[in-house]
Amino acid sequence: MTAPLVFDRSLARQRLQRALRQGYADFLLARAVEDLDERLSAVLRDFSLALDLGTPTALAATALRQAKRAREVVRLSPLPEAGAIVGDEESLPFGDARFDLIVSLLALQGVNDLPGALVQIRRALKPDGLFVAALFGGSTLTELRQAFTAAEVEIEGGVSPRVAPFADLRDLGSLLQRAGLALPVTDSEVVRVRYADPFSLMRDLRRMGLTNALHDRRKTPLKRRTLMRAAEIYAECFADPDGRVPATFEIVWLLGWAPHESQQKPLRPGSARMRLADALHVEEQKTGEKPGP
């Protein structure tokens, strides 16, 4: 089955190109790179060939090289870039079992077929290869979403798609398992960024290439009246006591391994060598009996 078109991928690349040209706002990406380095430092093994998959800038690939996390790092970039391969996260130009480490930061939330992308990542990993990714999660930009929804209902009598849908943490964990990745781990961190006003947030989103690239977005320009009303609602509903407004960014981390015979496996049902009652140091009750006072 063909995945639904949620994002206009060509437009998203144009928006990223504009952001890079104007000066990419990399504070969230820099934070993710620091977290990636910390997570990899806990993995006690050497990687021979790593792939930086679709990260908006070369920041992650540079960090991997500087920290010597792998003997060689290949970068798949969404745009032409010195020393990188231009490609698409939804169509990997690599053979099976090539990399023993694949990382992707703040990129995979923008693919149309995330399950398919994860399957390709799994195939590109060598046995016992590691996949680590960070992407925006479900509560990202919740304030902006609510403000625009209320403003459009009030001014225009309806709602148009303006803020991208972000995946839920539990759903992402299930997708790792469906893709065939072993020992999956997911966790998230909520980053709260404060701005002088909602327009400052919108300028940062533009400088991150994160303005509206939804496939079903309204093609007519946003009405100034709607924009101003959305900013008013944002400030009225979410401003801190000092007048500054917060913006929520949820960063979800995914980790999974390509299956290998050396990895831990769950015990078969019935193979336990100790009764649960003994492990808990309680007296086992027979069926139908009620525990005493």
Side-chain angles (χ1 to χ4, degrees), residues 17-30:
Q17 188 171 44
R18 180 183 64 188
L20 294 171
R21 186 170 58 247
Q22 295 177 347
Y24 185 81
D26 67 355
F27 61 95
L28 288 175
L29 181 57

Side-chain angles (χ1 to χ4, degrees), residues 15 18 162 202 205-214:
R15 298 278 168 83
R18 180 183 64 188
R162 294 201 178 275
M202 295 177 199
L205 294 177
R206 183 182 179 91
R207 291 178 56 225
M208 285 187 277
L210 295 180
T211 50
N212 191 356
L214 293 171

Side-chain angles (χ1 to χ4, degrees), residues 20 52 56-59 61-62 65 73-86:
L20 294 171
D52 171 18
T57 76
L59 205 58
T62 299
R65 294 185 181 108
V73 178
V74 174
R75 171 158 162 75
L76 186 74
S77 173
L79 295 169
E81 179 185 299
I85 300 170
V86 179

Side-chain angles (χ1 to χ4, degrees), residues 139-148 192 234 238 246-248:
S139 63
T140 298
L141 298 176
T142 181
E143 303 92 350
L144 187 64
R145 185 183 298 113
Q146 293 178 55
F148 263 116
R192 192 171 182 263
Y234 199 125
F238 301 107
T248 298

Side-chain angles (χ1 to χ4, degrees), residues 3-159:
L5 292 178
V6 179
F7 302 99
D8 184 333
R9 300 276 291 161
S10 176
L11 179 61
R13 284 189 288 271
Q14 293 176 30
R15 298 278 168 83
L16 176 59
Q17 188 171 44
R18 180 183 64 188
L20 294 171
R21 186 170 58 247
Q22 295 177 347
Y24 185 81
D26 67 355
F27 61 95
L28 288 175
L29 181 57
R31 185 187 184 107
V33 169
E34 290 180 3
D35 288 349
L36 173 67
D37 186 67
E38 183 177 342
R39 289 165 188 268
L40 290 179
S41 67
V43 180
L44 303 179
R45 59 165 292 182
D46 295 325
F47 299 104
S48 58
L49 183 60
L51 172 65
D52 171 18
L53 176 59
T55 303
T57 76
L59 205 58
T62 299
L64 289 172
R65 294 185 181 108
Q66 291 177 344
K68 298 181 179 180
R69 295 298 180 196
R71 289 194 288 273
E72 182 181 354
V73 178
V74 174
R75 171 158 162 75
L76 186 74
S77 173
L79 295 169
E81 179 185 299
I85 300 170
V86 179
D88 191 326
E89 304 94 314
E90 293 186 309
S91 182
L92 300 189
F94 307 110
D96 292 352
R98 180 171 178 189
F99 302 97
D100 47 12
L101 173 64
I102 296 179
V103 303
S104 179
L105 301 183
L106 306 188
L108 291 176
Q109 73 278 341
V111 301
N112 286 309
D113 184 10
L114 183 55
L118 291 175
V119 168
Q120 292 185 64
I121 289 167
R122 155 69 185 87
R123 290 173 178 168
L125 283 170
K126 296 176 183 178
D128 205 31
L130 175 63
F131 167 60
V132 185
L135 58 158
F136 291 121
S139 63
T140 298
L141 298 176
T142 181
E143 303 92 350
L144 187 64
R145 185 183 298 113
Q146 293 178 55
F148 263 116
T149 297
E152 285 196 306
V153 169
E154 178 183 321
I155 302 298
E156 304 182 33
V159 178

